Amino acid sequence: MLRTFVSGEGEIPSSGLVSDYLAELHFRISHLSGGAVASYIPELAKADPKLCGIAIATIDGKTYSAGDADVEFTIQSVSKPFVYGYALERHGREAILQRVGVEPTGEAFNSIVLDEVHNRPFNPMVNAGAIAIAETIKGATPAERAQNMLTLFSRLAGRRLSIDEQVYRSELETGHRNRAIAYMMLNSGMIRRAPEDILDVYFRQCAVRVTARDLAVMAATLANDGVNPLSGERVIATEYVSDILTVMNTCGMYNYAGQWSYDVGIPAKSGVAGSILAVIPGQLGIAVFSPPIDQHGNSVRGVAACKEIAQDFRLNIFRSHVSTSTVIRRELYGDIIHSKRARNPLERRLLSETGRRICIIEVQGPLFFGSAERLIRRIGDVQSTTSHVILDFRRVPSADEAASQLLARLAGAFNETGRKLLISHLAHQPALATLHEAMEQALPEQIFEHRDAALEWCENAVIAEAGIQFDATRFSLSELHIFKSLARDDLRLLEALARPMIFEAGDRIIRTGDPARLFFVIARGTVTVELADAVQATHQNLRIASMGPGLSFGEMALLDGGTRSADVVANERVVCYGFSVDAIHELGRTHPHVLTTIYANMMRDFSERLRRANDEIRALEQ
Amino acid sequence: MLRTFVSGEGEIPSSGLVSDYLAELHFRISHLSGGAVASYIPELAKADPKLCGIAIATIDGKTYSAGDADVEFTIQSVSKPFVYGYALERHGREAILQRVGVEPTGEAFNSIVLDEVHNRPFNPMVNAGAIAIAETIKGATPAERAQNMLTLFSRLAGRRLSIDEQVYRSELETGHRNRAIAYMMLNSGMIRRAPEDILDVYFRQCAVRVTARDLAVMAATLANDGVNPLSGERVIATEYVSDILTVMNTCGMYNYAGQWSYDVGIPAKSGVAGSILAVIPGQLGIAVFSPPIDQHGNSVRGVAACKEIAQDFRLNIFRSHVSTSTVIRRELYGDIIHSKRARNPLERRLLSETGRRICIIEVQGPLFFGSAERLIRRIGDVQSTTSHVILDFRRVPSADEAASQLLARLAGAFNETGRKLLISHLAHQPALATLHEAMEQALPEQIFEHRDAALEWCENAVIAEAGIQFDATRFSLSELHIFKSLARDDLRLLEALARPMIFEAGDRIIRTGDPARLFFVIARGTVTVELADAVQATHQNLRIASMGPGLSFGEMALLDGGTRSADVVANERVVCYGFSVDAIHELGRTHPHVLTTIYANMMRDFSERLRRANDEIRALEQ
């Protein structure tokens, strides 16, 4: 149960809800007694046992905090998982696994027991393992290695960190147990460099000054797959993040790991200065700082706070929030959803009758084995009734290798059949680069930047297959919807008014705001109707339609005169007929039925387009 | 890397991709040698070492398999996590934790070492712990307890299972080590009942006959939060699933747990008959069966197969597929998106000018702390520019307690301000019951079944606040869009044609297919336009619009005569004016400008509605 929230009056607390929760939690746990400030490093013993800070950072960079969350302390053992990650990235998994194992020991953090069978420390979370890992920090001199180490932590925290010289010197002078461990390892060949050299960087590493807020951001960097959510910088390669979390999970809380997993259930690491860092992958990082520690070396208030947060927020790595069932956002079909390419009545009828052969699947959420398997299975289900499947990847934030390869294999297999698989919105997204590459290899011709272009491609294919084509070279006005059911004599009068006009590619046939004096019928070529995009102010025009031979545009001029409400641009050389609005109205005065027939035709067209638009809205609202 | 897929020609393999992968994997691993068939139970030693089966089950009940996936064998230790779950559910976490701990031992499965400090076995995955857990199986007699145990496994597998009497008897005769463990525990008071009684049900539990496919379904039941994906039956309460997985993860592979976590990274349990069951929460269950086992008691081919599957499918509990960034599917605003309530021109203008105060947030995916926090934060961001926020929960499959409470608190706080929070699509979903209840308490008036009703409520509030109201008792025809800019004399001619009509609630004013002879103007009351829903064949009419005073319907009759394309039903007592199409056309013959003006007005209206519909489509396409 979340406990009482305290919130300000008269305003919606929104993010205050979490801050208030933390404030209330802080109030409770800061009154806990028990434990003692670590004394094995003399400088640490000076810490104020009353200090208590809590911080949470989300994977999109929001931080919440309570209490002494901005007080600096030394990072100590909480540094270990990060240097381990650094080592994996620089030297590879195999090389590091030979130096340090991954088995929990059930021993204390400063245990001198080593894995004699494999001649390596048991794991990188105990001091022995961490010292062996510290040897792998790159740099030609001790100063350079220290600098590289500090740079790592500064990038993890998203701010420039420094070393606590007092604590560093204090440990340098008194860290004899660690010296013993290092010499033991040198003796067995587990390390090669001079122990003092390695310990120098290791003691500095433990003495990096951080705040609870810094640790929360570092935890959130792990939760965010290695990318610092504040700076947006990738600090750890994705492939090693799960290794780090695995070792934290099995060894991070020393001989308290089993109970911690059961009670808290999230990978964590504690340090003797009194801090605990915990990671909820894909959600957030948590850090608590309070100096008194228990017999396992874990902060007493830190453990209590983490237990409560995990319980209240229902955080547990095995509470699955993965949802493979939502991988398909929706399916749309080509009989209801149309591309922006305007079609003549014959084509429209064909598409409304057979457009169901075109299926658009909107994919959403991260793609991994479970979600990709479900998507592929659904594609298998729809294939029996469709000839074209468009996968719209607009809402896919990432795709791992397993998903990429499954989809690429599917694409290859699809291609060998008569059916077509088309892809849109895959370009320009770094987290989809692998999938994009794989798909481009399988379907070089069928990758589209926008879904509309893919849909138009499918519509064109269906229309071409049906052999429907408007013969633009010799059509009569009676074939145009706007002049439908007019008598031959009336058509002859209109023909006399038609002015042939030619435009070149890029010509602006109609310009927004210009007086509306003509309407047009296209004989050859295609045009695009564009709207100046005022809302989004992207300085880009919005394409609202394109149209080809046999279709008309600018007819609204007949009603209002007034001014144009959109631009119409020639996509290539366009031949069309222009009709003067004044001349048509003049004709209407002597032949009123010509005007009412034209109006009635326009209205039928509007009415049909409105009906189609409403069908489309209903489908899109689902 | 996924290895070669073999697929049939000419058809899209879809789900075959995974089957083919398993077939290929099976081919490779069935050639692995090493290990030996377990011999400590004489009956097990008779197993054929060549047997090898692999099965995968997804959380929506699809199973894939290869090799001997339908050969029966005895479940052995793989039964332990499930009986542990049973015990937790029947006796509660506290009571069970007092009997059996949760710390890994680093000892073999049949270790006789006990946790002397807490006077309990170390964990429920070693034999000692499993025997103590077996004591908790309910039932008055041994037969009843055996029956309850068997029922549990039958429900987990989704089929009626049986006990292998030979193996049971073999273990009953030779299981002296387990007898020793039981008597040790009786001696320390860790168990209370007669050891032979407990061992009888324990030996039967180990001798339940299952196939690899059964185990995959049982694993998928854990992956699916305790609901068997084949039967749809809840077998384990959600709250204990993470406890089971936690213990499997830390203790399931005995003293191989650290390396297994590192190499495979998914919670698993092995049995000495040669099976391994592994769970990928939210995705799938995996099972491998092959008798030869290694020195840890784990199937040699099983470990190899799990390593490859985990690597190829990128399965690891710390590869986060949780995505809090997709919790907001999209935001829509009331200036672009309108309810199905048709509005008069004044209202339309008002809504297009100030409708941005109404914000619809479409929420998607499971709601838990991370996603709820993000949603609440976004609501906080939009509140400065909005007076009404509608949360559409249509695409939310589940909400945990943490999310439910955060949202309920937000709702309470919202309510105290002048701003309104409205909720739609929360009813009738069992997985949202907690959230629904919490919201209903906070916002009793603002829970709507459908979003459209919530939106109409907001629009009405905005319109009422602006004080715009169409005075239906004394309006002149010139106020109707259809008669706009007609001269006073023309209006008088039309007034003479208006026939006042009264309908009662439920009256069908217009019926699909009827000849279209009138059009109508509403003076009082509202009507609903309905479309017979042919596509979905739900035998329910589709509401496409509702309209009130000052609006007209049925005007298309002016064009075609023809027949009606929709039904119009009175929502309450409706007063309207009917105009005969014939009479209007007659008037048009003597006064042609009346007809062209009416047509032009209708066209302007269509054109505006089409423009709005296209705006709406653009917004919905995002």
Side-chain angles (χ1 to χ4, degrees), chain A residues 499-555:
Chain A
R499 242 195 282 163
M501 304 170 85
I502 295 180
F503 298 94
E504 300 302 331
D507 279 0
R508 212 149 281 265
I509 305 173
I510 282 181
R511 203 177 285 271
T512 308
D514 280 358
R517 298 208 184 93
L518 294 173
F519 77 89
F520 300 84
V521 172
I522 305 174
R524 198 173 304 169
T526 61
V527 300
T528 293
V529 186
E530 292 180 353
L531 213 58
D533 189 355
V535 178
Q536 301 192 22
T538 54
H539 301 291
Q540 271 203 323
N541 283 349
L542 191 67
R543 170 188 177 233
I544 52 174
S546 64
M547 41 182 73
L551 295 175
S552 54
F553 58 91
E555 311 94 321

Side-chain angles (χ1 to χ4, degrees), chain A residues 300-345:
Chain A
V300 172
R301 296 191 190 115
V303 170
C306 287
K307 268 190 199 172
E308 286 208 19
I309 293 174
Q311 168 67 12
D312 289 348
F313 292 169
R314 303 290 189 278
L315 305 172
N316 181 302
I317 49 165
F318 293 121
R319 281 188 189 261
S320 163
H321 303 303
V322 175
S323 183
T324 58
S325 67
T326 55
V327 64
I328 293 171
R329 184 193 188 223
R330 63 181 170 195
E331 291 168 13
L332 300 166
Y333 290 88
D335 54 344
I336 302 290
I337 302 296
H338 309 283
S339 75
K340 293 201 173 66
R341 173 71 185 261
R343 304 287 178 184
N344 66 46

Side-chain angles (χ1 to χ4, degrees), chain B residues 133-300:
Chain B
I133 290 297
E135 190 186 13
T136 70
I137 296 172
K138 301 220 164 178
T141 62
E144 210 179 294
R145 292 194 281 275
Q147 194 49 56
N148 285 341
M149 179 276 297
L150 195 58
T151 301
L152 168 68
F153 285 101
S154 297
R155 291 173 67 211
L156 283 162
R159 71 176 185 103
R160 211 176 155 67
L161 300 179
S162 63
I163 285 165
D164 187 318
E165 292 291 331
Q166 257 110 38
V167 173
Y168 159 64
R169 273 177 211 294
S170 181
E171 188 149 9
L172 201 59
E173 284 159 22
T174 62
H176 305 310
R177 190 177 174 93
N178 285 327
R179 261 186 201 98
I181 293 173
Y183 277 103
M184 280 281 288
M185 292 198 290
L186 183 67
N187 179 53
S188 322
M190 295 180 192
I191 58 173
R192 275 150 257 175
R193 216 180 284 153
E196 287 302 338
D197 251 33
I198 301 172
L199 287 173
D200 185 77
V201 73
Y202 177 69
F203 290 152
R204 284 179 197 272
Q205 163 191 328
C206 292
V208 171
R209 296 169 66 89
V210 289
T211 65
R213 193 186 296 272
D214 290 331
L215 290 189
V217 172
M218 291 164 69
T221 301
L222 290 174
N224 195 32
D225 262 346
V227 174
N228 182 315
L230 289 188
S231 67
E233 192 191 357
R234 172 163 297 287
V235 189
I236 304 162
T238 298
E239 56 178 313
Y240 298 114
V241 171
S242 52
D243 292 343
I244 298 170
L245 294 174
T246 298
V247 175
M248 280 170 68
N249 197 50
T250 47
C251 318
M253 300 301 279
Y254 311 118
N255 42 349
Y256 182 60
Q259 193 69 40
W260 173 269
S261 270
Y262 198 83
D263 289 344
V264 184
I266 46 185
K269 186 74 202 76
S270 61
V272 285
S275 63
I276 296 181
L277 164 156
V279 179
I280 300 93
Q283 293 193 63
L284 43 101
I286 301 173
V288 189
F289 162 61
S290 188
I293 58 176
D294 62 19
Q295 78 274 24
H296 302 290
N298 301 326
S299 165
V300 172

Side-chain angles (χ1 to χ4, degrees), chain B residues 472-544:
Chain B
T473 52
R474 44 194 182 102
F475 65 92
S476 95
L477 288 190
S478 67
E479 290 175 54
L480 301 179
H481 76 91
I482 195 168
F483 299 136
K484 210 177 143 189
S485 61
L486 280 171
R488 195 171 301 169
D489 288 350
D490 296 330
L491 287 169
R492 221 165 283 141
L493 292 171
L494 284 163
E495 266 163 33
L497 299 178
R499 242 194 283 163
M501 304 170 86
I502 295 180
F503 299 93
E504 300 301 332
D507 279 0
R508 214 150 279 265
I509 305 173
I510 282 181
R511 203 179 285 272
T512 308
D514 279 0
R517 297 207 185 94
L518 292 173
F519 77 90
F520 300 83
V521 172
I522 306 173
R524 200 174 304 168
T526 61
V527 301
T528 293
V529 186
E530 292 179 354
L531 212 58
D533 189 356
V535 178
Q536 300 192 23
T538 55
H539 301 292
Q540 269 204 323
N541 282 349
L542 191 68
R543 171 188 175 234
I544 52 174

Side-chain angles (χ1 to χ4, degrees), chain A residues 64 103 259 283 370 373 401, chain B residues 64 103 283 314 370 373:
Chain A
Y64 300 97
E103 282 298 334
Q259 195 68 39
Q283 293 194 61
E373 186 271 337
E401 254 181 81
Chain B
Y64 300 96
E103 283 297 334
Q283 293 193 63
R314 301 292 188 279
E373 186 272 336

Side-chain angles (χ1 to χ4, degrees), chain B residues 18-180:
Chain B
V18 177
S19 300
D20 294 343
Y21 168 82
L22 285 190
E24 211 266 333
L25 172 68
H26 176 266
F27 179 79
R28 263 177 296 119
I29 68 147
S30 60
H31 285 82
L32 287 182
S33 57
V37 172
S39 56
Y40 84 103
I41 306 172
E43 199 59 29
L44 287 185
K46 298 181 188 164
D48 177 357
K50 291 211 196 67
L51 285 173
C52 181
I54 313 175
I56 285 180
T58 69
I59 55 159
D60 64 333
K62 170 77 186 172
T63 61
Y64 300 96
S65 67
D68 307 309
D70 295 310
V71 171
E72 287 196 333
F73 52 89
T74 54
I75 189 168
Q76 300 298 339
S77 291
V78 177
S79 63
K80 292 170 180 173
F82 298 101
V83 181
Y84 182 58
Y86 169 97
L88 287 172
E89 204 168 337
R90 297 303 178 294
H91 303 275
R93 198 171 287 154
E94 280 314 302
I96 294 301
L97 210 50
Q98 275 180 10
R99 285 172 174 242
V100 181
V102 291
E103 283 297 334
T105 60
E107 306 273 337
F109 64 94
N110 55 3
S111 157
I112 207 157
V113 177
L114 298 165
D115 178 354
E116 312 277 348
V117 178
H118 298 94
N119 199 43
R120 60 186 184 187
F122 275 103
N123 70 64
M125 300 294 108
V126 292
N127 290 5
I131 292 166
I133 290 297
E135 190 186 13
T136 70
I137 296 172
K138 301 220 164 178
T141 62
E144 210 179 294
R145 292 194 281 275
Q147 194 49 56
N148 285 341
M149 179 276 297
L150 195 58
T151 301
L152 168 68
F153 285 101
S154 297
R155 291 173 67 211
L156 283 162
R159 71 176 185 103
R160 211 176 155 67
L161 300 179
S162 63
I163 285 165
D164 187 318
E165 292 291 331
Q166 257 110 38
V167 173
Y168 159 64
R169 273 177 211 294
S170 181
E171 188 149 9
L172 201 59
E173 284 159 22
T174 62
H176 305 310
R177 190 177 174 93
N178 285 327
R179 261 186 201 98

